[in-house]
Amino acid sequence: MNKLVIREWDQSDRPREKLIEQGRRALTNAELLAILIGSGSRQETAVELCRRILNDAKNSLNHLSHMEVADFCHYKGIGDAKAISIVAALELGRRRREEGQEDKPTLNSSKRVYDYFKYQVQDLPHEEFWVLYLNTACKVLERQLIGRGGNDFTPVDVRIVLRYALQYKANSIILIHNHPSGTLEPSQADKQLTTKINEASKIMDIRVNDHVIFTDSGYYSFRDEGLL
C-alpha cells in the first residue's frame, strides 16, 4: 500500500495548515519539527521522521537540544540544511529564555550568577571559559568569552582576562566555565588556573569574586566552598 505524503493528508492534519487554523499551541512537538524540515523520505513522512527523532531523544526537547548537526544527519531524510534549521530553532529557543533576564543584574551570590548565565552554556558539547566584569555594586559591565576547548580542557590567557578588566574599568570579576561531562567537582587544572588569575588580579587591585562551574543540572562555587 502506498504511503500518503503530507500534502495528501486531510488539510486539518497538515502541520502548516493546522498551525494557521488552530494556532501553534495545537501542534505536537513532532509536527513543529516537521514544519522546520519540510519533507521526510520515501519511507516516512516528515512528521513520522520527527516522531522517530524525538523518540530517540526520549521525547525530550532538552535532550534534543544537545544534538549537533551531524547527529541529525544520521537520519535518512535529514541533510545538512534541515539539520541546521533544527539546531538554529533550538538555539533561538535557548536565547529567548536568556533574553527575558534583567540586562544588568546584581550578581552578589553564586545562585544569582547561575540563574543569570546558565542558558549561555547550557547544552554545549565543549568547554567554554567566560569572565563577567562587574562594577563596585556587583552589576555586570560586560561579559567576555575568553577560551573555548574540548570536552575537558579550555586554554585561558590570564593577560586577556585582565586586559578586559582594565578596558571595562571593572572593580571585580567572576570566572565561569562549564563541564559538558556533568561533573561538578573542579579539576586540579581548574584550581591552579583560579589561583593564577586570583594572584594576578590582586596586583591590579581587582577582586575575583567567584569561579563558578556550570553543568546542565547545577553548579559549583569556589567562593561557597571556601576556595576563594
Side-chain angles (χ1 to χ4, degrees):
M1 189 171 92
N2 291 331
K3 180 181 291 290
L4 291 176
V5 296
I6 288 180
R7 66 174 176 273
E8 296 172 324
W9 293 7
D10 183 274
Q11 186 165 336
S12 62
D13 290 329
R14 302 177 197 171
R16 292 187 183 88
E17 286 80 356
K18 187 175 179 180
L19 187 148
I20 292 170
E21 294 176 4
Q22 301 180 39
R24 54 189 169 179
R25 302 293 169 87
L27 276 69
T28 65
N29 290 340
E31 289 170 333
L32 289 169
L33 281 174
I35 290 175
L36 289 174
I37 68 172
S39 61
S41 66
R42 285 180 175 271
Q43 286 72 39
E44 55 191 350
T45 67
V47 174
E48 289 169 334
L49 173 56
C50 291
R51 282 185 189 136
R52 186 158 61 88
I53 294 172
L54 279 166
N55 184 64
D56 290 346
K58 301 180 181 179
N59 289 308
S60 165
L61 292 179
N62 185 48
H63 279 81
L64 198 73
S65 65
H66 285 73
M67 294 174 62
E68 298 291 331
V69 169
D71 298 321
F72 288 109
C73 288
H74 288 152
Y75 292 90
K76 187 173 183 180
I78 301 283
D80 285 346
K82 293 179 181 180
I84 289 168
S85 293
I86 296 173
V87 171
L90 291 167
E91 175 63 13
L92 281 172
R94 185 196 65 78
R95 293 186 185 187
R96 184 206 171 191
R97 293 196 302 264
E98 182 184 52
E99 198 175 73
Q101 302 176 83
E102 181 185 357
D103 288 336
K104 301 293 181 182
T106 300
L107 301 183
N108 54 7
S109 73
S110 57
K111 178 65 165 58
R112 288 191 173 188
V113 173
Y114 179 71
D115 289 341
Y116 168 69
F117 210 73
K118 60 184 176 182
Y119 296 126
Q120 181 66 47
V121 292
Q122 189 178 51
D123 307 330
L124 291 178
H126 58 270
E127 273 198 13
E128 290 188 353
F129 190 96
W130 290 76
V131 177
L132 304 181
Y133 296 91
L134 313 177
N135 63 17
T136 54
C138 290
K139 287 187 176 291
V140 178
L141 297 170
E142 192 55 79
R143 57 188 192 176
Q144 284 290 338
L145 174 62
I146 304 299
R148 180 186 287 114
N151 291 328
D152 57 4
F153 175 73
T154 302
V156 175
D157 190 329
V158 177
R159 293 170 298 179
I160 293 176
V161 172
L162 296 178
R163 186 182 73 192
Y164 282 123
L166 294 175
Q167 179 180 331
Y168 301 131
K169 298 180 173 61
N171 177 263
S172 61
I173 61 177
I174 295 174
L175 314 176
I176 288 172
H177 82 280
N178 64 307
H179 279 177
S181 65
T183 302
L184 280 174
E185 290 295 319
S187 66
Q188 193 60 35
D190 293 336
K191 293 177 181 178
Q192 290 171 351
L193 176 62
T194 304
T195 299
K196 188 176 180 181
I197 295 176
N198 191 38
E199 292 302 318
S201 297
K202 285 179 181 177
I203 296 172
M204 306 178 73
D205 201 26
I206 295 168
R207 176 182 168 86
V208 178
N209 284 353
D210 206 345
H211 183 172
V212 184
I213 297 172
F214 284 59
T215 69
D216 286 349
S217 59
Y219 68 93
Y220 179 99
S221 162
F222 275 62
R223 177 69 60 186
D224 293 350
E225 299 298 327
L227 298 180
L228 268 174

